[in-house]
Structures are given as structure tokens and as C-alpha cells.
């Protein structure tokens, strides 16, 4: 095992949640930890890297925790340590309805009717331990009695929500997309680890890619992203929705929910349920009876490809 490095800075809860929910372009595994229970100011950011962090890496890590601008980061060499395993050490298994999500460091034996997924911390968001992802799992579990035939998970991250959908609706077509090719490869690897089959994978920015348009209309759309992209994508998501489709949205802070809801109402959608977990909100909406005209799939500004697992 080669040496690895840990860089540590204090941060606030708001900064930690932004790190956990965001698409962070940094060559490090990031872990945030609550240092004092219910104290929003006392959190910690640990960044694990293969090599000793240079000035550019330190600056990138600092940028994630502006509240620690006056504090020197602690840089520690981890001799003969597996930094991925260390980043998972605090990730206890979670349970949401029939689903259990765990890491290799915390194996579980599912009980009758339960479905366990092994999702290790790594280069893509969506281990199930963040309130947005676990909230989506709970929302999907409650929809289990409904029938869906064509499901898409936009911004799939680790693939977890697409895997849950495949389990709940085994006869449906399931598509998972992400803007990041690394996330799609992570999803492919996680599918193999968990014995998940028949999920179409697409690298795409938003929902305009030809492969997505060709798969539409979808009767269940899941998008666990961030408030800004969710608002911008409202017309795109409405365009790929079947009449009365169910839309599950997450990745938005509670104080951003009204703006997201307004954007989807403008696209013809109706709010059915809103659930708050900590500072985060998960929304369930119904698409319009008359679908929005599909967007032109000849958008050359959005690169995409699709393969099947």
C-alpha cells in the first residue's frame, strides 16, 4: 500500500453540507464530520489524497471552507493506510424502508424483504448517508405500490437511486445519467458489485441529450442534484415527462424549495409532497396531463453516450 495524505480544516455545517451535496472537482476524497453535536459551527473537513498536497491542492481545499480562511490546515502523512477505507470509517449502515446502504467497512446481512446495497465512499456523490439521498430512498420506497414502466435518474452519482428503482420495479426500463463520466463508471462498478442489471447509462449535461429524448417519455423522473440546476432544468425535465409522471427532486436546501417549486409549477407540474430532513428538502411532484413539447435533441453543446449494464 502506498503512502497517502490527509489535509484537515475546520468548517461549518453549511459548508459541510455544500461539500457533501455538490459536484466538487478536486482530486481528493472528501469527508465532513460533526465535531460537537448540534453545533452548526464546529465541523471538520478531511481531504484524502494519494500524493502530498501542493499549494494548488491546499488552495482548492481551503476554498471549500471559507470560514477557516485564517487557519492553517493540518497536513498528515498516512503511512501504509488505505485512505478510501479511512474515509468510510464513520459511515455506519443506513436503513430507509426496505433498503440498507453500507460500505465494505460495515457489512450487513439484510433481513426478510430487505435489499442491501454496497456503496463505498469515493469519487461520486450518493452513498446514501446524505439526507438528500436517503430522503429519495425513503420517497421511492413509499411509491413501491405504484406502477412505473420508464424511469430515469438524472445526476445518478453512485447509481444508488437507479439501483433502488430497478429493485422496486423489476420490469421497468431504468436509465441513469450524469454529467461526469467518472460517475457513470462508478455506477457501472457499483452495479457489478451489487448484482444490478439492465440499467442504461448515459453521460449527459441535463436532459437534452438525444439518448434521453429517445427514451422519453418517462413516468418516474428522479433528480438529486442542486437547486440551481434543478431550476434551470425544469423545462427539460417537463419535456421528458409522460402525462401525470411522478417527479422526485432533491439536493435543495429548505430555503430554496419555494424557488424550485415555482420553476416546476411554471412548467406545468403540481407539488404533491414536501419532506424536510435537516436543512434539506425532498419534493414529489406530478407532471402536467398534457406533456410539454419535447426539446430538440440536436443540441450540439451537450455531449452524451449510452451503454447498457
Amino acid at each position: 500500500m502506498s503512502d497517502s495524505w490527509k489535509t484537515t480544516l475546520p468548517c461549518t455545517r453549511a459548508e459541510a453540507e455544500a461539500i457533501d451535496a455538490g459536484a466538487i472537482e478536486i482530486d481528493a476524497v472528501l469527508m465532513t464530520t460533526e465535531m460537537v453535536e448540534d453545533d452548526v459551527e464546529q465541523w471538520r473537513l478531511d481531504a484524502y489524497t494519494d500524493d502530498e498536497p501542493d499549494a494548488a491542492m491546499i488552495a482548492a481545499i481551503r476554498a471549500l471552507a471559507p470560514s477557516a480562511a485564517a487557519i492553517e490546515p493540518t497536513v498528515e502523512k498516512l503511512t501504509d493506510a488505505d485512505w478510501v477505507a479511512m474515509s468510510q470509517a464513520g459511515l455506519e449502515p443506513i436503513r430507509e424502508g426496505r433498503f440498507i446502504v453500507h460500505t465494505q467497512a460495515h457489512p450487513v446481512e439484510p433481513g426478510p424483504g430487505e435489499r442491501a446495497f454496497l456503496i463505498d465512499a469515493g469519487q461520486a456523490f450518493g452513498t446514501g448517508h446524505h439526507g438528500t439521498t436517503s430522503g429519495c430512498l425513503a420517497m421511492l420506497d413509499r411509491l413501491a405500490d405504484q406502477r412505473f414502466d420508464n424511469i430515469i435518474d438524472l445526476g445518478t452519482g453512485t447509481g444508488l437511486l437507479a439501483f433502488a428503482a430497478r429493485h422496486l420495479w423489476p420490469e421497468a426500463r431504468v436509465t441513469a445519467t450524469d454529467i461526469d463520466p467518472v460517475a457513470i463508471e462508478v455506477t457501472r462498478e457499483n452495479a457489478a458489485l451489487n448484482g444490478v442489471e439492465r440499467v442504461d447509462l448515459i453521460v449527459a449535461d441535463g436532459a437534452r441529450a438525444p439518448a434521453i429524448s429517445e427514451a422519453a417519455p418517462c413516468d418516474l423522473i428522479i433528480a438529486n442534484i442542486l437547486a440551481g440546476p434543478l431550476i434551470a432544468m425544469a423545462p427539460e425535465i417537463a419535456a421528458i415527462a409522460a402525462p401525470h409522471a411522478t417527479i422526485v427532486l432533491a439536493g435543495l436546501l429548505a430555503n430554496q424549495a419555494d424557488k424550485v417549486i415555482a420553476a416546476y409549477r411554471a412548467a406545468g407540474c403540481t407539488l404533491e409532497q414536501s419532506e424536510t430532513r435537516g436543512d434539506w428538502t425532498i419534493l414529489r411532484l406530478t407532471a402536467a396531463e398534457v406533456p410539454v413539447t419535447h426539446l430538440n435533441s440536436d443540441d450540439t453543446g451537450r455531449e452524451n453516450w449510452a451503454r447498457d449494464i
Side-chain angles (χ1 to χ4, degrees):
M1 183 71 64
S2 60
D3 293 341
S4 54
W5 296 77
K6 180 175 74 170
T7 303
T8 301
L9 273 173
C11 66
T12 65
R13 175 178 174 176
E15 291 167 345
E17 290 181 332
I19 291 166
D20 288 346
I24 306 298
E25 295 185 3
I26 182 172
D27 191 16
V29 170
L30 304 174
M31 179 176 176
T32 58
T33 306
E34 184 181 34
M35 302 305 297
V36 178
E37 186 175 0
D38 296 330
D39 188 331
V40 297
E41 299 302 322
Q42 297 195 53
W43 284 64
R44 186 183 77 232
L45 165 63
D46 295 315
Y48 296 89
T49 54
D50 284 326
D51 302 312
E52 183 176 5
D54 57 15
M57 176 60 73
I58 294 292
I61 296 169
R62 277 186 170 281
L64 301 175
S67 64
I71 299 173
E72 281 297 315
T74 300
V75 180
E76 178 184 359
K77 184 178 182 180
L78 304 173
T79 305
D80 296 328
D82 183 346
W83 54 269
V84 171
M86 289 184 64
S87 74
Q88 299 165 2
L91 299 180
E92 300 290 341
I94 66 162
R95 282 176 163 81
E96 291 291 347
R98 73 201 70 201
F99 298 115
I100 307 171
V101 187
H102 66 99
T103 65
Q104 292 189 61
H106 299 281
V108 297
E109 186 67 32
E114 294 182 326
R115 177 57 159 101
F117 291 112
L118 167 60
I119 305 289
D120 280 332
Q123 293 176 284
F125 172 67
T127 63
H129 292 80
H130 193 275
T132 59
T133 309
S134 61
C136 285
L137 281 176
M139 190 77 74
L140 293 178
D141 186 71
R142 289 194 293 269
L143 292 170
D145 291 338
Q146 297 189 31
R147 174 176 173 172
F148 297 106
D149 297 313
N150 194 9
I151 302 166
I152 191 165
D153 177 19
L154 301 168
T156 196
T158 62
L160 174 59
L161 298 179
F163 301 164
R166 163 56 64 228
H167 177 74
L168 291 172
W169 299 284
E171 301 305 318
R173 176 179 183 178
V174 177
T175 302
T177 83
D178 204 284
I179 190 174
D180 185 359
V182 172
I184 291 299
E185 290 307 313
V186 168
T187 296
R188 190 185 311 283
E189 294 168 4
N190 285 337
L193 282 173
N194 288 281
V196 177
E197 299 179 343
R198 297 185 301 110
V199 176
D200 295 327
L201 302 182
I202 302 174
V203 176
D205 180 359
R208 294 179 183 264
I212 296 176
S213 297
E214 291 166 7
C218 301
D219 51 10
L220 174 59
I221 300 171
I222 309 159
N224 180 19
I225 314 177
L226 290 171
L230 286 175
I231 291 170
M233 290 170 61
E236 300 179 24
I237 289 177
I240 64 169
H244 303 296
T246 295
I247 302 172
V248 176
L249 305 178
L252 55 139
L253 292 165
N255 60 13
Q256 299 169 324
D258 288 345
K259 291 182 179 179
V260 175
I261 293 167
Y264 283 81
R265 280 179 174 155
C269 303
T270 303
L271 178 67
E272 303 291 349
Q273 184 180 2
S274 176
E275 178 182 332
T276 299
R277 293 193 172 208
D279 292 333
W280 301 89
T281 293
I282 299 92
L283 304 175
R284 179 171 60 87
L285 304 100
T286 298
E289 179 178 1
V290 179
V292 177
T293 301
H294 280 203
L295 298 168
N296 186 347
S297 62
D298 296 328
D299 187 342
T300 56
R302 295 173 187 257
E303 182 179 0
N304 72 92
W305 52 263
R307 287 185 284 177
D308 185 71
I309 59 174

